[in-house]
Amino acid sequence: MYWNYQHSVLPIVHREAFLNGMETGRGPYFSRCLFLCILASGARISSHPAIRKLAIPSEDDDKNDRRPLMKQAEDALEKEITNPGITTIQSLLLLSVMYCIQSNDSKGWMLSGNACRLVFDLGLHQDWTYLSTMKLSPIDVEVRQVIFWGCFNLDRLWALYLGRPPFIKLIDVSIRRPDMRAPTWDMRIFAAWVHLLDIAGQIADKLNTNACTQGQIDHYSDALQQWYNSLDPTVQFDPKASTATYHLHLQYSAMTILVNRHNAGFGSPEKRNYPDTTRSREQCLHHAFRIARILQDYRTQHGDTSTMLGSALYNTTMAATTLVAEVSETRKDGASEEMLCLMICLRTMKEMEHTEIVAKNVYNIVQTIMRVCNVHDVNLDLDLFSTNGMSPPLPRIESPIAQYDPSATMGLNQTTLAMWPAFDFEGIDMGAAFPFAFEQPVLTQEHPGILPPMDSYM
């Protein structure tokens, strides 16, 4: 389950090095702690409730009761962290994701921060290959690269979803970035993630300052489009692609919505006729539709969406709220394309409730937003969404770990929006077109024509 659905979405484990170490029972890239963390991560998305309960509590369980696999992983980490190594970084990252799933964002974020500190403490951020005394094999170099940039990716996602400054600053880093034209597919999609999340981090930094000009919005939109155009053909979206490719393109579309929605005029009908606003709104809607299509294709090709990672929940919610805003203002309800896409997003949230504890809260909040906006849930035949006539979803793959498939895909998990249950709906203006006051860009007078520096990602 881990290799098929999680590993290559946000890789932090070098699969070949780990499996070699597991076979011998020793080595720098395998530990019992990391093994238990991988088992817990895979058990979480099992279709069998009894297996899921080994890693995450069910609705009837005490949320504070530690699940067996989680307890063993945490106890093993407690011992390993007294003499930390590379596998300690990976274990911390996987456990941070597991805590995020269980709505414990603060603990998850702190574990991720400890992983980032260990990355620097163990020198993984530096390129040591120029030193003649460093006897690093090609596999050693690749493992260090995967772990550092995997940590970078998760650090950027935590910063994006929680609105926190990222821990890792690229000015402190000399290790080479993964090559988007690398010889192996695993490294190509890994490189695509690194470059996309670098752009995402820069977008989040600028939006968090509440001082994003129209020129900067265009700048980041162009950067995202350039990233998309530079993708290797093997990681471009195709309905028959790997699960990792689905997540990559969901993230790209969500980032395009994020950078444009502040200028899309949602909730401000008087601003909808400005050319820049119209362009941003079209981008938001186009990518909300695209997210819904990707989710529906995933359901057909890979089984139900409960195997998707928490980042998909965040991206789905971004598409859903965009669609609610559009339907609320234009009244394109009933069987419109907007409503059809919205129902696909809602179905995804319901399916993810089994494996993402926070998904139920997110679903209820979107339903509340819909009621406030007078957008009514409708019973639509979602199988009509595909023009090709979609077949029933495939059963998920739950093969034993011994059946190692070199072409299998890799990934992490990231849940967002755990803070949504605290949202105060009492303060919403019921007559407003949309409850979220999407902030308009603040046009700063200082250096209005100068764009912020942007790291090269080619």
Side-chain angles (χ1 to χ4, degrees):
M1 293 297 291
Y2 177 79
W3 301 127
N4 283 337
Y5 293 106
Q6 296 190 50
H7 176 51
S8 60
V9 176
L10 282 175
I12 58 170
V13 177
H14 190 286
R15 181 167 54 186
E16 180 185 351
F18 173 83
L19 291 177
N20 287 340
M22 187 175 71
E23 187 174 343
T24 61
R26 52 183 165 69
Y29 307 130
F30 172 84
S31 73
R32 178 176 177 274
C33 179
L34 178 56
F35 179 62
L36 289 167
C37 291
I38 288 176
L39 289 181
S41 300
R44 178 189 67 81
I45 56 174
S46 172
S47 60
H48 304 292
I51 295 179
R52 284 203 305 272
K53 286 185 69 171
L54 295 173
I56 58 174
S58 64
E59 285 192 18
D60 300 330
D61 294 330
D62 181 357
K63 299 301 184 286
N64 295 319
D65 183 26
R66 292 198 297 172
R67 300 289 85 203
L69 272 175
M70 282 292 289
K71 182 178 184 302
Q72 290 188 50
E74 289 168 335
D75 292 345
L77 179 62
E78 194 75 21
K79 296 178 181 178
E80 186 172 304
I81 207 164
T82 59
N83 185 26
I86 280 178
T87 58
T88 315
I89 297 170
Q90 298 163 305
S91 300
L92 284 165
L93 293 174
L94 288 178
L95 284 182
S96 78
V97 170
M98 294 297 292
Y99 280 121
C100 194
I101 290 162
Q102 300 178 44
S103 302
N104 195 344
D105 280 342
S106 57
K107 188 169 185 178
W109 184 55
M110 287 190 289
L111 287 180
S112 175
N114 286 338
C116 292
R117 289 175 176 85
L118 268 179
V119 158
F120 285 94
D121 194 44
L122 298 179
L124 300 188
H125 65 298
Q126 295 283 8
D127 181 6
W128 302 107
T129 56
Y130 69 93
L131 295 176
S132 59
T133 55
M134 293 297 293
K135 302 188 182 304
L136 295 175
S137 68
I139 195 75
D140 292 328
V141 173
E142 197 168 282
V143 169
R144 293 168 70 90
Q145 186 182 47
V146 166
I147 294 173
F148 175 80
W149 290 110
C151 193
F152 169 87
N153 286 344
L154 192 53
D155 179 47
R156 287 299 184 271
L157 284 176
W158 274 108
L160 177 64
Y161 300 152
L162 298 184
R164 310 286 193 267
F167 184 89
I168 297 175
K169 310 297 184 185
L170 289 179
I171 194 172
D172 302 320
V173 175
S174 66
I175 189 173
R176 297 178 63 183
R177 292 191 183 204
D179 185 0
M180 293 182 73
R181 296 293 184 266
T184 65
W185 180 87
D186 280 359
M187 292 305 293
R188 286 197 294 274
I189 195 164
F190 182 40
W193 271 112
V194 170
H195 300 316
L196 177 61
L197 290 177
D198 180 18
I199 300 171
Q202 295 180 52
I203 291 170
D205 284 346
K206 182 52 60 176
L207 293 180
N208 286 342
T209 65
N210 197 29
C212 195
T213 66
Q214 180 60 49
Q216 290 163 343
I217 291 173
D218 293 339
H219 173 64
Y220 290 122
S221 295
D222 290 345
L224 287 168
Q225 186 63 51
Q226 184 182 355
W227 172 89
Y228 181 83
N229 293 339
S230 68
L231 286 177
D232 186 84
T234 60
V235 297
Q236 292 173 359
F237 183 73
D238 180 273
K240 296 181 180 180
S242 69
T243 57
T245 304
Y246 274 82
H247 281 82
L248 179 71
H249 286 267
L250 282 175
Q251 190 70 43
Y252 159 68
S253 285
M255 291 312 306
T256 304
I257 293 174
L258 179 64
V259 77
N260 280 281
R261 71 177 183 179
H262 289 255
N263 198 41
F266 291 118
S268 302
E270 69 278 3
K271 297 181 180 179
R272 294 187 60 175
N273 295 325
Y274 292 111
D276 290 336
T277 300
T278 300
R279 186 169 67 251
S280 286
R281 194 181 191 93
E282 288 174 350
Q283 283 290 307
C284 288
L285 291 174
H286 170 78
H287 284 277
F289 293 151
R290 187 172 185 265
I291 286 174
R293 291 190 177 94
I294 290 173
L295 293 172
Q296 190 74 336
D297 284 340
Y298 185 97
R299 187 176 288 109
T300 303
Q301 297 296 325
H302 299 288
D304 70 65
T305 54
S306 64
T307 54
M308 298 194 86
L309 309 186
S311 58
L313 178 62
Y314 175 86
N315 299 335
T316 300
T317 308
M318 189 171 291
T321 51
T322 299
L323 293 165
V324 171
E326 177 68 8
V327 172
S328 175
E329 293 186 6
T330 62
R331 307 315 312 171
K332 292 181 181 179
D333 49 12
S336 67
E337 186 177 10
E338 289 83 356
M339 283 301 299
L340 190 58
C341 291
L342 178 57
M343 293 304 103
I344 289 170
C345 292
L346 290 174
R347 178 198 276 190
T348 297
M349 295 175 193
K350 290 296 291 182
E351 289 177 349
M352 294 184 75
E353 286 182 7
H354 300 295
T355 55
E356 299 278 341
I357 294 173
V358 73
K360 185 174 184 178
N361 292 332
V362 175
Y363 176 84
N364 290 337
I365 288 167
V366 174
Q367 288 278 301
T368 302
I369 294 172
M370 290 172 65
R371 288 194 298 271
V372 170
C373 295
N374 294 315
V375 175
H376 303 292
D377 202 340
V378 292
N379 185 19
L380 296 173
D381 183 1
L382 298 182
D383 286 341
L384 297 176
F385 185 74
S386 172
T387 57
N388 299 323
M390 301 182 67
S391 57
L394 298 176
R396 69 181 65 172
I397 303 169
E398 297 207 26
S399 56
I401 195 170
Q403 297 180 12
Y404 170 55
D405 177 7
S407 64
T409 54
M410 318 185 321
L412 266 187
N413 185 318
Q414 192 49 244
T415 306
T416 63
L417 304 178
M419 62 292 223
W420 277 37
F423 190 87
D424 179 18
F425 287 99
E426 296 299 323
I428 293 176
D429 179 6
M430 302 300 281
F434 189 64
F436 285 166
F438 287 103
E439 296 172 294
Q440 298 301 312
V442 177
L443 300 178
T444 55
Q445 297 300 319
E446 185 179 357
H447 308 301
I450 301 177
L451 298 179
M454 185 168 176
D455 296 312
S456 171
Y457 60 91
M458 292 300 291

